[in-house]
Amino acid sequence: MQKSRTVRLRPVRPAGWWFDALLLAALAGLTAALAADRLLGVDRAVADWADAHRPAPAEWTAVVLNYLGQGSPLTLIALGAGVLLAVRVRSVLPVLPPVCAFVLNYLTIGPLKVWTARPAPSASTKDPFLAPEQTLPLFQHELPLKYAQSYPSGHVANAIVWYTVIALLLAPLLRSFGRAVPPRLVTVVRLVPPVVVLCTTTYLGWHWLTDSVAGLLLGLLIGRVLRRVPWDDLPLPARFDSPDRPALFTSTP
């Protein structure tokens, strides 16, 4: 090992584990409410309003903005930033945040979608052409898997997680080129795209409102886990780390 470091969790805001517990409880409560056929009227009302207020210019604008939440490009961008920074500091450390984010997403978002088995609003207008009232409930395991993966919204959850990782890597990457990043810009990168994705995904009728809210809760929870990791203090084998590597993430907001 190159360095002996004291490993302590990094601070997050709001501080403490109470907010994590609140996010988890809210996600569980929302899922339980939907399982008991609660809030379905809200979902239906929001989807109907969006359908009635979606002129072509607004629709195409929302479609373009929704690309901010595409999981595969965001994964590649985050991994590419991590690899570039790893080359510049001669350490494998910057690759770990995107790899961990991918693993956490894989172990949470996908399994929840399969377990809850909820169709999207569009399931009444294209395959499998369900009756509108049949598109709302959870646990429709009789449907083929590809038609029942709406809850929680992967677009929203992925956007939060990947922009958290991109924001984490942005400041140290630009510092390696001698450039400084205003902390406020890092915060904007982390917060604005997920909000845009949540609004556009719901507005376009690609997810129910509660799908998007569930994705928000899950994404925030995973994001807080990633931001808590003391990346700079993780013990790495000498061959994967540089003896003169500077602290990369200590000052990242």
Side-chain angles (χ1 to χ4, degrees), residues 84 155 187:
L84 178 58
H155 264 65
T187 301

Side-chain angles (χ1 to χ4, degrees), residues 11-12 20-21 61-62 78 87 109 113 147-149 170 172 176 185 202 215 235:
V12 293
D20 303 74
T61 300
V87 170
I109 300 172
K113 284 178 172 289
Y147 297 133
Q149 296 191 55
L170 181 61
S176 74
L185 176 60
T202 306

Side-chain angles (χ1 to χ4, degrees), residues 16-245:
W17 292 95
W18 67 269
F19 193 71
D20 303 74
L22 181 63
L23 292 171
L24 186 59
L27 178 60
L30 178 60
T31 306
L34 292 170
D37 293 338
R38 307 284 185 179
L39 302 177
L40 302 187
V42 174
D43 276 336
R44 181 80 269 168
V46 171
D48 289 345
W49 181 91
D51 286 342
H53 297 81
R54 198 184 299 132
E59 181 175 7
W60 282 111
T61 300
V63 168
V64 171
L65 290 174
N66 194 258
Y67 279 106
L68 289 170
Q70 291 292 323
S72 296
L74 288 176
T75 303
L76 294 176
I77 290 170
L79 183 59
V83 170
L84 178 58
L85 182 57
V87 170
R88 293 192 61 79
V89 300
R90 303 189 306 279
S91 171
V92 75
L93 177 64
V95 179
L96 298 184
V99 169
C100 290
F102 179 84
V103 171
L104 287 174
N105 281 355
Y106 182 81
L107 293 177
T108 55
I109 300 172
L112 272 175
K113 284 178 172 289
V114 173
W115 176 60
T116 54
R118 190 188 201 189
S122 59
S124 64
T125 58
K126 60 183 182 181
D127 285 338
F129 294 104
L130 302 175
E133 65 273 9
Q134 289 182 294
T135 59
L136 285 157
L138 273 61
F139 306 124
Q140 300 195 54
H141 295 287
E142 70 279 3
L143 294 174
L145 182 59
K146 65 179 180 178
Y147 297 133
Q149 296 191 55
S150 189
Y151 181 92
S153 168
H155 264 65
V156 175
N158 272 311
I160 295 173
V161 172
W162 286 119
Y163 282 106
T164 294
V165 174
I166 291 170
L168 188 69
L169 293 167
L170 181 61
L173 178 59
L174 291 186
R175 277 201 304 270
S176 74
F177 288 96
R179 304 293 296 273
V181 179
R184 188 168 296 179
L185 176 60
V186 177
T187 301
V188 168
V189 169
R190 196 172 69 235
L191 298 181
V192 172
V195 171
V196 171
V197 172
L198 185 151
C199 294
T200 55
T201 295
T202 306
Y203 176 67
L204 290 167
W206 294 350
H207 280 285
W208 301 106
L209 174 62
T210 52
D211 297 342
S212 297
V213 173
L216 171 68
L217 296 170
L218 181 58
L220 287 173
L221 186 60
I222 297 173
R224 283 173 66 84
V225 171
L226 292 169
R227 290 170 60 202
R228 271 200 172 94
V229 176
W231 300 106
D232 284 314
D233 300 326
L234 296 180
L236 295 173
R239 59 180 175 172
F240 295 127
D241 201 11
S242 172
D244 56 352
R245 170 180 60 79

